[in-house]
Amino acid sequence: MKPTKQLHQTIINQCKNNDAKAQMQLYNLYGKAMFLIAYRYVKDQFIAEDVMQDAFIKAFKNIDNYKNEVAFGAWLKRIVINQSIDQLKKKKLDLVAINEEITTSREDDHWQVECEISVDEIVEKIKLLKEKYRLVLSLYLLEGYDHQEIAQVLNITENTSRTNLLRGKKLLREQLKDTSYAAGY
C-alpha cells in the first residue's frame, strides 16, 4: 500500500526526531528501489547492498537537511547515486579524461532503437559497456542528469561527459543492432 503524501511527511518528520520505527518504514518504502539504483552502478549485489545501507545511514544523519523541495525519493536517490560513485572511486576506477583534440564533439540527441527492444534490454546492454560509458549513460539517460552534474559527480570535464555519452550511445546502438538481428527483427 502506497502511503499518502501527508502520511509520508509524517514518517519523514518522525525520522527527523530519530524515531527508529519511522526509519524502518522509510527503509521498507524505498529499500528495494534504492538497491536497484545502486546495483545499476556497482554491478555487484553485495556491494550494492552495502552502498544502499550507507546511503540510508547518511540520509538519516542528514534528514534535517531535507526541506521538501523535491520528492523524498529523489533526494534519497541522489544520495544513493553519489554513494555508488564514491564506491566506484574507492576501487580506483580509471575515468580517463579524453584528449583535448576530441573535445569538439557534437551531441547527437537523435538516436532511435527498434521498438521491439524493451527498456530492460537496453539497461542490460548498458551494463555491459565499459565503466566510463556505463556511468555517463546511466546518469544521463536513466537518471536525467545533465553534463554539468555528471562532470561534478564523476570529477571529469563536461566535454569528457559529452564525449563518453556519444561513444557510449554509439556502442549501445551497435549492441542493440546485434540484439535485433539475433532476434530476427
Side-chain angles (χ1 to χ4, degrees):
M1 180 173 95
K2 199 171 187 179
T4 65
K5 193 170 188 171
Q6 186 177 2
L7 176 61
H8 199 100
Q9 190 55 50
T10 302
I11 294 170
I12 292 168
N13 289 338
Q14 290 170 341
C15 286
K16 288 182 178 184
N17 292 325
N18 232 2
D19 182 325
K21 186 176 178 182
Q23 289 173 340
M24 195 63 196
Q25 285 179 295
L26 267 187
Y27 181 86
N28 288 336
L29 283 171
Y30 290 100
K32 185 175 180 179
M34 296 305 130
F35 167 79
L36 293 172
I37 290 166
Y39 184 76
R40 191 179 320 152
Y41 287 90
V42 298
K43 292 169 56 171
D44 179 284
Q45 179 179 345
F46 299 109
I47 294 173
E49 288 172 0
D50 288 345
V51 164
M52 181 194 64
Q53 297 289 337
D54 291 344
F56 270 100
I57 290 168
K58 192 173 198 173
F60 291 140
K61 281 183 181 175
N62 295 297
I63 200 158
D64 286 331
N65 295 333
Y66 174 67
K67 306 291 183 207
N68 271 348
E69 294 162 351
V70 296
F72 181 79
W75 183 77
L76 182 59
K77 181 179 180 180
R78 186 167 285 265
I79 294 171
V80 171
I81 290 169
N82 288 335
Q83 286 292 120
S84 299
I85 290 169
D86 287 347
Q87 175 64 35
L88 293 171
K89 285 178 182 175
K90 281 183 199 171
K91 290 172 50 180
K92 294 184 175 37
L93 238 167
D94 187 19
L95 296 170
V96 178
I98 305 300
N99 294 336
E100 287 305 311
E101 69 263 10
I102 301 175
T103 60
T104 57
S105 65
R106 72 176 173 81
E107 216 165 307
D108 174 19
D109 279 336
H110 181 70
W111 66 297
Q112 299 175 338
V113 295
E114 299 292 327
C115 57
E116 293 88 1
I117 298 174
S118 71
V119 172
D120 290 338
E121 288 175 298
I122 294 170
V123 170
E124 287 304 312
K125 294 297 182 184
I126 288 174
K127 287 179 185 178
L128 300 175
L129 296 174
K130 281 186 179 180
E131 203 74 41
K132 62 184 177 181
Y133 303 131
R134 183 174 61 81
L135 287 174
V136 173
L137 274 172
S138 294
L139 288 169
Y140 187 85
L141 296 176
L142 304 176
E143 310 301 343
Y145 282 38
D146 63 26
H147 290 294
Q148 183 180 10
E149 293 170 315
I150 293 170
Q152 261 185 326
V153 168
L154 297 179
N155 198 24
I156 59 177
T157 67
E158 286 183 48
N159 282 332
T160 301
S161 175
R162 284 185 183 87
T163 302
N164 286 348
L165 178 68
L166 287 172
R167 289 179 177 178
K169 280 182 176 180
K170 182 179 178 188
L171 292 168
L172 182 60
R173 261 193 230 115
E174 290 170 10
Q175 287 186 357
L176 292 172
K177 281 181 190 174
D178 292 344
T179 300
S180 62
Y181 289 140
Y185 296 126

